[in-house]
Amino acid sequence: MAPTKKPRILIVYTGGTIGMIEDPVTKALKPFDFSHLLENVPKIKMLDYEIDNIQFHPPIDSSDMNVEHWKLIAHSIADNYDNYDGFVVLHGTDTMSYTASALSFMLQNLQKPVIITGSQLPIGEVRTDGEENLITALQIAADRRADGTPTVSEVAILFENYLWRGNRSTKRSADNFNAFRSNNYPELAKIGLGINFRYDALAENHNGGPLEPHYEFDTMVMPIDLFPGLNEAVFRHQLATPGIRGIVLRTYGMGNGPTEDWFLDALADAVRRGVVVVNVTQCVNGGVQSGRYISGEKISETGVISGHDITFEAAITKMMYLLGLGIEADEVRRRFEQPIAGEITI
Ligand code: ASP
């Protein structure tokens, strides 16, 4: 559909603090419906946009998010893709980076903005970050370049002063308004008096081609964290989890771990059984460089692949996504080491 004069934006409301209200008895925050949320942001009408919405029934705390919810969000976008210029997903902060990563893999050939936001304080409270986040997200979803194409054509998280690439983001604070951060990729925009986009960091607009949504995930995956003291019995037990198909191994520094035989043999056995194991660093910044230390090199010799500078959130969702394609383990390994949606730097 040719862009109309008024930007057309679809809001997908999944829940999260932004739309929550306090339970009068327990005082705990619980999700509430979308009309309540809109009533609290009368300023939305000052934006000359056509805005529609879809909401989860019931809206959820994002700690309840699962792959079925991701399918609902992706369907809300894909099924309405041609009718809107941009999409804003309202979501709890707790698992926002996981959803942003998952959507970036699900929505292949995305050429429109999918801006995810939420807030640390409910929108109905006197002092809230929700109103500003919602309005800025709508403005970013409506923004166009000089040639008329969308400024943002990827899945991104807008929170307080920054727009981040979704699959590069991590929730870094439980109570700071600037709750998200991307440790290995620059911001896509800085929000101050204006919205200052970093065109060098934004995904390039593709040339045509329809959206190609993928909805299947394989959830037979798990993380394993290394720590000094990890013993063979515990490690072998984890690797032998019945039905496990993918493991995100969280290692030290540049991808290092013990050089003892029991550790390396256990990993090699898992790889031989067809389990895809990816090496991801526990450090918040930087990535895996397996050849840098002998300990990292030994891990890669077992058949464990490198996650480069991927976040944990993107690694676990990418693993579920690739295994969900029903391709051979070797093909999963090959594709994992290549960027799919700008989630790693080679
Ligand atoms: N527990 C909430 C959620 O993730 C936190 C938030 O939205 O900030 O839904």
Side-chain angles (χ1 to χ4, degrees):
M1 196 177 86
T4 53
K5 270 217 176 91
K6 276 191 186 186
R8 298 203 66 200
I9 310 292
L10 181 65
I11 299 178
V12 183
Y13 172 53
T14 70
T17 297
I18 191 163
M20 288 188 185
I21 56 166
E22 227 177 59
D23 184 293
V25 182
T26 66
K27 303 288 176 210
L29 289 173
K30 57 179 188 185
F32 206 63
D33 78 2
F34 189 72
S35 53
H36 150 83
L37 195 146
L38 279 193
E39 276 161 24
N40 280 286
V41 198
K43 274 191 204 151
I44 279 191
K45 297 195 188 81
M46 290 166 71
L47 298 170
D48 198 16
Y49 302 164
E50 286 178 28
I51 299 174
D52 294 319
N53 68 79
I54 292 180
Q55 77 158 297
F56 271 24
H57 293 287
I60 59 167
D61 186 304
S62 79
S63 35
D64 267 326
M65 195 57 67
N66 61 39
V67 299
E68 294 307 316
H69 296 122
W70 290 344
K71 286 184 203 172
L72 287 177
I73 302 171
H75 265 297
S76 301
I77 294 166
D79 298 351
N80 295 290
Y81 190 70
D82 294 336
N83 298 325
Y84 293 93
D85 300 309
F87 301 85
V88 169
V89 179
L90 299 182
H91 194 290
T93 58
D94 289 346
T95 60
M96 191 180 281
S97 294
Y98 293 89
T99 297
S101 300
L103 288 176
S104 78
F105 303 130
M106 297 172 91
L107 301 173
Q108 291 292 300
N109 204 25
L110 181 67
Q111 293 170 61
K112 294 185 179 183
V114 173
I115 312 300
I116 311 182
T117 195
S119 65
Q120 294 280 42
L121 286 172
I123 215 157
E125 293 197 4
V126 180
R127 203 169 60 83
T128 175
D129 52 332
E131 179 176 87
E132 200 173 294
N133 284 349
L134 173 55
I135 288 181
T136 310
L138 287 166
Q139 288 181 319
I140 291 172
D143 205 86
R144 300 200 149 249
R145 299 180 191 222
D147 63 1
T149 58
T151 305
V152 179
S153 53
E154 59 184 298
V155 180
I157 286 183
L158 176 277
F159 221 85
E160 191 71 0
N161 296 121
Y162 297 96
L163 183 73
W164 304 109
R165 175 165 293 168
N167 58 30
R168 292 285 197 157
S169 71
T170 297
K171 183 174 179 182
R172 60 140 188 170
S173 171
D175 53 18
N176 195 302
F177 282 153
N178 269 311
F180 289 85
R181 211 190 143 67
S182 170
N183 293 302
N184 282 329
Y185 199 75
E187 70 270 12
L188 304 182
K190 175 105 175 64
I191 322 299
L193 289 182
I195 300 171
N196 297 309
F197 290 103
R198 275 197 59 167
Y199 292 92
D200 59 328
L202 285 161
E204 300 269 319
N205 279 333
H206 314 271
N207 292 320
L211 182 75
E212 289 165 21
H214 293 266
Y215 298 106
E216 297 313 316
F217 286 95
D218 186 333
T219 55
M220 291 312 294
V221 300
M222 65 189 279
I224 298 182
D225 261 282
L226 298 190
F227 60 94
L230 176 66
N231 68 42
E232 181 174 5
V234 170
F235 190 51
R236 282 214 178 255
H237 185 77
Q238 289 175 307
L239 291 171
T241 300
I244 204 71
R245 298 194 61 213
I247 289 172
V248 177
L249 185 68
R250 301 189 68 236
T251 60
Y252 310 127
M254 287 185 166
N256 306 316
T259 51
E260 289 168 88
D261 286 346
W262 64 261
F263 175 77
L264 298 165
D265 290 347
L267 277 179
D269 287 349
V271 172
R272 230 175 282 122
R273 287 199 312 270
V275 181
V276 179
V277 186
V278 61
N279 186 347
V280 168
T281 178
Q282 293 173 1
C283 296
V284 291
N285 178 238
V288 168
Q289 288 183 35
S290 307
R292 176 86 175 145
Y293 294 91
I294 189 77
S295 51
E297 196 170 77
K298 280 180 183 285
I299 291 178
S300 78
E301 282 167 5
T302 65
V304 171
I305 55 169
S306 170
H308 302 282
D309 60 347
I310 199 166
T311 62
F312 171 71
E313 294 89 332
I316 201 91
T317 49
K318 186 173 181 178
M319 184 71 87
M320 288 193 282
Y321 164 76
L322 287 176
L323 290 171
L325 294 177
I327 51 183
E328 296 293 317
D330 276 344
E331 184 62 8
V332 171
R333 290 190 188 100
R334 196 187 66 75
R335 293 202 201 178
F336 203 110
E337 292 197 301
Q338 299 301 318
I340 294 177
E343 74 283 7
I344 52 174
T345 317
I346 302 284

